[in-house]
Amino acid sequence: MKAFTAVLRQPESAPESRLPADVQRLPRPPALGRAIELAFLRWEKRRLAPTERFWRDFGFHIVSSTPQRLMARGAGSAPCIAIAEAGRRDRFVGPAFLMSADTDLHRYVELMGARWLPVCRLPAGGRGVELCDPSGRSVWLLQDQRRVEPRPLREAVTPSTNTAQDRPRVNRTVRTPIEPARVVRLGHVVLQTIDFARMTEWYLSVLGLIPTDVQYLADGSPCLAFCRLDLGNQPADHHTLVIVGGIEEKVEHSAYEVLDLDALGQGQQVLSAQGHRHMWGIGRHLLGSQLFDYWSDPDGFEYEHYTDGDVFTSAFETAYSPLEFGGIWAWGADAPASMKPRKNLQTLFHVLKLVRRKAITPQRLKLMSAALDAPARPWL
């Protein structure tokens, strides 16, 4: 008889106050200010037309489209969630964060050499500064952006979901329209970095973020941090910024909230019918709990639709768990191989260069490789 091969992917997490002695806590530097929203992401594209087509099919609302600039929003009150400008190459330029009213932007200018942004570059007025993170990526910090009227959305199906224990939907059917998923808002962005310690210290200090979940390697050193906004008693998403240690400085993916599971499924059906490249999903993450579906835009950048994510107040304690590739999803198809570094000569030469430059140690490379290749735990 064939062995039962289902797997249980459940990382053993522990609150920071009860960490084993061999696990290193992620340092929490003093914050210069406090981010209250991931406002929008900025891209450079050689061709804007394919990006516009993908954005429309993905569920963005296009605010403006010219040969030089493409701007989109969601259905929420944010005036902009994505900007793409014509350029010589396809690249992620950087994120823009909305800062709290009591954050003093002058401090970033005085202490970190930030530059004031011309008002003409801001999509919704206000003011802002630009600085560069340790990888050289541009980061905008904004205040006083104008809000806009939310766009109409259908009623969510979830409140009337019939279950085996409760059946609130009586004499009513579910007939949601087949349409693009109608992105409500920008949720989070995931950045890979070679220097995890330096990058996390920088973003925690600049944005005043709170680590919700930290994952560590076999030697106890942190290598992945899911960070949320500090909104006090107001619940914040499990993560708005994720920083993961790796062998490149790049954006892993960006994620956008949709209304409910039906919107997630409808979005998949529409994107598939329009010929876009599906990557992974539908499934449910473990850390953050989101129902997810991943897609690739025409230039290979990863986009995620998600719904039903966890939220926490600022009082929730940071949790720690071992880093294992199998621990990023609870159910659904296995994560695609494309989410891991390619095992080829190009990757080998790149890694050798990093070691020669002492950008990363052979020991850490070995530990990260072991975390990615660890087998999933058998179902007991």
Side-chain angles (χ1 to χ4, degrees):
M1 183 175 178
K2 188 176 180 180
F4 186 59
T5 58
V7 295
L8 173 65
R9 300 182 177 90
Q10 181 64 55
E12 299 173 2
S13 61
E16 188 171 23
S17 58
R18 297 201 300 272
L19 269 185
D22 58 344
V23 176
Q24 303 167 25
R25 288 168 170 79
L26 188 70
R28 294 280 304 277
L32 284 172
R34 186 168 59 90
I36 57 174
E37 183 179 308
L38 175 58
F40 52 86
L41 303 178
R42 294 171 292 130
W43 310 84
E44 179 183 335
K45 294 297 188 84
R46 289 176 295 173
R47 299 180 303 154
L48 292 180
T51 295
E52 179 175 354
R53 177 174 174 268
F54 174 80
W55 282 5
R56 290 184 185 277
D57 293 340
F58 191 76
F60 289 5
H61 175 71
I62 303 301
V63 175
S64 63
S65 176
T66 72
Q68 290 75 41
R69 193 176 193 236
L70 181 65
M71 189 170 83
R73 58 167 289 197
S77 62
C80 171
I81 60 172
I83 297 175
E85 295 184 315
R88 294 182 178 180
R89 58 193 177 114
D90 301 315
R91 69 184 182 103
F92 174 66
V93 178
F97 292 89
L98 189 63
M99 307 300 290
S100 64
D102 59 354
T103 294
D104 184 0
L105 296 183
H106 289 89
R107 295 191 68 196
Y108 297 94
V109 176
E110 296 167 358
L111 300 177
M112 303 186 68
R115 300 171 296 276
W116 288 101
L117 289 164
V119 176
C120 62
R121 296 192 65 189
L122 305 179
R127 60 180 187 156
V129 297
E130 178 182 34
L131 58 165
C132 293
D133 73 12
S135 72
R137 182 183 296 110
S138 169
V139 178
W140 287 7
L141 308 180
L142 311 175
Q143 286 179 328
D144 303 325
Q145 274 202 310
R146 293 189 303 270
R147 308 305 282 185
V148 295
E149 283 294 318
R151 293 175 55 79
L153 292 169
R154 63 167 171 78
E155 183 180 354
V157 172
T158 307
S160 60
T161 298
N162 286 343
T163 71
Q165 295 178 318
D166 184 28
R167 300 188 179 185
R169 193 179 68 250
V170 178
N171 296 333
R172 290 181 294 151
T173 60
V174 176
R175 298 290 187 269
T176 54
I178 301 301
E179 61 183 7
R182 294 206 185 188
V183 164
V184 178
R185 65 187 183 96
L186 168 61
H188 62 262
V189 63
V190 181
L191 303 177
Q192 183 184 140
T193 180
I194 299 167
D195 193 339
F196 175 81
R198 187 181 177 201
M199 191 70 79
T200 51
E201 180 183 20
W202 191 91
Y203 274 101
L204 292 180
S205 173
V206 167
L207 302 176
L209 301 175
I210 302 172
T212 307
D213 274 288
V214 176
Q215 296 197 295
Y216 53 86
L217 299 173
D219 66 350
S221 62
C223 192
L224 191 154
F226 293 86
C227 303
R228 70 185 184 274
L229 302 172
D230 181 358
L231 302 182
N233 292 328
Q234 177 184 339
D237 289 349
H238 174 271
H239 54 275
T240 293
L241 176 69
V242 182
I243 301 175
V244 55
I247 61 172
E248 294 182 77
E249 300 290 346
K250 70 171 188 176
V251 61
E252 289 275 4
H253 73 266
S254 53
Y256 306 84
E257 187 174 21
V258 299
L259 186 62
D260 55 19
L261 178 58
D262 280 78
L264 204 71
Q266 291 160 352
Q268 184 182 93
Q269 187 166 336
V270 169
L271 285 161
S272 179
Q274 294 300 320
H276 298 291
R277 185 160 68 91
H278 186 240
M279 290 190 59
W280 185 31
I282 297 172
R284 188 182 284 277
H285 283 305
L286 273 172
L287 301 181
S289 302
Q290 300 96 330
L291 294 164
F292 65 80
D293 195 32
Y294 286 77
W295 292 82
S296 176
D297 84 352
D299 302 306
F301 294 104
E302 299 173 16
Y303 286 65
E304 176 191 1
H305 278 149
Y306 77 90
T307 189
D308 191 24
D310 295 333
V311 293
F312 301 91
T313 66
S314 62
F316 188 81
E317 188 173 5
T318 302
Y320 285 74
S321 60
L323 175 60
E324 296 175 353
F325 187 70
I328 64 174
W329 76 102
W331 57 260
D334 285 355
S338 61
M339 289 189 166
K340 299 181 181 181
R342 294 180 181 178
K343 295 183 177 181
N344 55 28
L345 285 176
Q346 183 178 357
T347 301
L348 176 61
F349 290 145
H350 174 70
V351 167
L352 288 174
K353 287 180 181 179
L354 293 177
V355 173
R356 289 195 190 102
R357 289 176 13 221
K358 298 183 178 180
I360 196 167
T361 65
Q363 175 65 11
R364 190 165 179 85
L365 281 170
K366 183 178 179 180
L367 292 170
M368 289 193 299
S369 179
L372 289 175
D373 294 335
R377 298 182 183 88
W379 185 280
L380 299 178

